[in-house]
Amino acid sequence: MPSESRSEPFVRRFVAAALTAGIIVSLTACATESPGSLAAACETAAPDGNSSSTITASEEFGVKPEVSFPQPLIANQVQTSVLTQGDGKVVLSGQPVLVEATILSGADGSVLQQTAYDQNGGSLFTLGDTALPELGEGLKCIRVGSRVAVVAPAAQGEAEGADPAATVFVIDLIRAYKAKADGADQIPQSGLPAVVTAPDGTPGITIPNEEAPTDFREAILKKGTGDKITETSNVIAKYTSVEWGSKTVGESTWSTGGATILSLDDTATVSTGLRDTLVGQTIGSQVIAVIPPDRAGVGGQPAISTMVYVVDILGVIG
């Protein structure tokens, strides 16, 4: 089973605070980047509103800020104000990003949670993750290198007397990664499940109606041109696993719109079969592996059955 053992994904670290505030916002599509203003680059970016524009943050990009704003802060939609403009590419829906973040209560300005700001790369979040859609909407169309203030409104339909104050995110957008594997399609190989991908990259996997292979099999479905994965890489990936015998999906990052970190130097949390599949591959590739039980388990324990993995290799941390 893959694990985010090096750095717990941003969404898991912060969703509790966000859900406590009762945030429910839909995610919309983003246009293609073009020169000029953010509005020209991405017309569906969250607007700069009366609430987000009141937020100030001390210190420079990448340094833990002191945040201030009038309290209580109320908003009726997601708003984003750029506090420091970066010069990188805009980020789009589906992209994993590394961020440093401070999350505050709009009611009293108290800090709900905060990343380390320790120059070790930040925390992982994916624009479009269904667990925290309002943050994805707020970061959509923002340029890498920017510090932004995102205001997320309280949920509609809350119980009478619930706190109507917004949640405030101050985000330093450090780095962005590919949204899906974008390498060149390779010739399919016999003896492996068939894989087709939706426009957003979600794979559809068809398991043959035959007994599961007893040998380890792997193939490259899309060949990327990025750096090679090493035995100590921390790989940012999207993946789907399917049990061959039952033909049921075991895990899929695509189902929640997220991504994960696979730490290949930690064989207690990544199966030896999956580790061997990824080492030596290149960023931008999509790979498939059929892993028998003796190589599909973790921590030295074999899996119950043969597992199939389709993995998009989107980047590395560090």
Side-chain angles (χ1 to χ4, degrees), residues 18-19 21-28 44-47 75-80 125 128-140 150-156 166-167 169:
L19 292 181
I23 303 165
I24 302 175
V25 183
S26 62
L27 185 67
T28 57
T44 55
N76 58 12
Q77 66 180 125
V78 175
Q79 300 175 14
T80 299
F125 175 70
D129 195 306
T130 57
L132 205 53
E134 76 293 340
L135 184 57
E137 184 174 352
L139 293 180
K140 196 168 38 181
V150 178
V151 176
Q156 300 297 315
T167 298
F169 302 81

Side-chain angles (χ1 to χ4, degrees), residues 8 11 25-26 32 46 57 77 97 109-110 126 133 135 177 181 255 273 285 288 296:
E8 195 176 10
V11 67
V25 183
S26 62
T32 302
Q77 66 180 125
V97 294
S110 60
T126 305
L135 184 57
Y177 298 87
S255 65
S285 296
I288 184 171

Side-chain angles (χ1 to χ4, degrees), residues 184-209:
D185 291 333
Q186 304 297 291
I187 298 174
Q189 296 187 19
S190 60
L192 292 170
V195 179
V196 296
T197 55
D200 68 352
T202 303
I205 304 168
T206 302
I207 306 296
N209 290 317

Side-chain angles (χ1 to χ4, degrees), residues 38-293:
L38 291 180
C42 196
E43 293 180 356
T44 55
D48 182 0
N50 292 333
S51 295
S52 62
S53 62
T54 66
I55 298 168
T56 61
S58 67
E59 306 301 338
E60 61 185 10
F61 178 89
V63 178
K64 185 179 298 185
E66 293 291 334
V67 182
S68 62
F69 50 84
Q71 301 153 18
L73 194 65
I74 308 296
N76 58 12
Q77 66 180 125
V78 175
Q79 300 175 14
T80 299
S81 292
V82 177
L83 305 181
T84 302
Q85 179 68 275
D87 58 5
K89 292 184 177 180
V90 300
V91 294
L92 307 177
S93 191
Q95 284 189 262
V97 294
L98 286 181
V99 301
E100 296 287 10
T102 299
I103 301 180
L104 308 99
S105 165
D108 58 13
S110 60
V111 174
L112 300 176
Q113 280 193 308
Q114 197 169 50
T115 56
Y117 293 87
D118 59 3
Q119 309 302 314
N120 287 332
S123 294
L124 184 68
F125 175 70
T126 305
L127 277 72
D129 195 306
T130 57
L132 205 53
E134 76 293 340
L135 184 57
E137 184 174 352
L139 293 180
K140 196 168 38 181
C141 311
I142 299 300
R143 294 187 181 277
V144 172
S146 298
R147 169 173 283 182
V148 297
V150 178
V151 176
Q156 300 297 315
E158 288 184 331
E160 184 176 354
D163 187 355
T167 298
V168 174
F169 302 81
V170 173
I171 304 292
D172 289 0
L173 186 52
I174 297 170
R175 187 174 177 184
Y177 298 87
K178 298 176 184 292
K180 61 181 180 179
D182 59 359
D185 291 333
Q186 304 297 291
I187 298 174
Q189 296 187 19
S190 60
L192 292 170
V195 179
V196 296
T197 55
D200 68 352
T202 303
I205 304 168
T206 302
I207 306 296
N209 290 317
E210 57 189 52
E211 291 295 319
T214 57
D215 58 323
F216 173 73
R217 302 178 184 182
E218 61 178 339
I220 301 173
L221 303 178
K222 297 178 184 292
K223 179 65 173 178
T225 58
D227 293 342
K228 282 190 175 182
I229 303 303
T230 72
E231 294 178 348
T232 59
S233 291
N234 297 296
V235 181
I236 296 179
K238 295 181 181 180
Y239 74 92
T240 297
S241 67
V242 179
E243 185 183 28
W244 184 295
S246 65
K247 297 181 173 58
T248 57
V249 173
E251 297 177 302
S252 179
T253 62
W254 298 96
S255 65
T256 60
T260 191
I261 300 172
L262 307 178
S263 297
L264 302 188
D265 59 356
D266 186 353
T267 55
T269 53
V270 177
S271 72
T272 56
L274 185 57
R275 183 174 184 270
D276 291 345
T277 299
L278 295 177
V279 172
Q281 303 294 349
T282 51
I283 294 172
S285 296
Q286 182 186 69
V287 296
I288 184 171
V290 178
I291 308 176

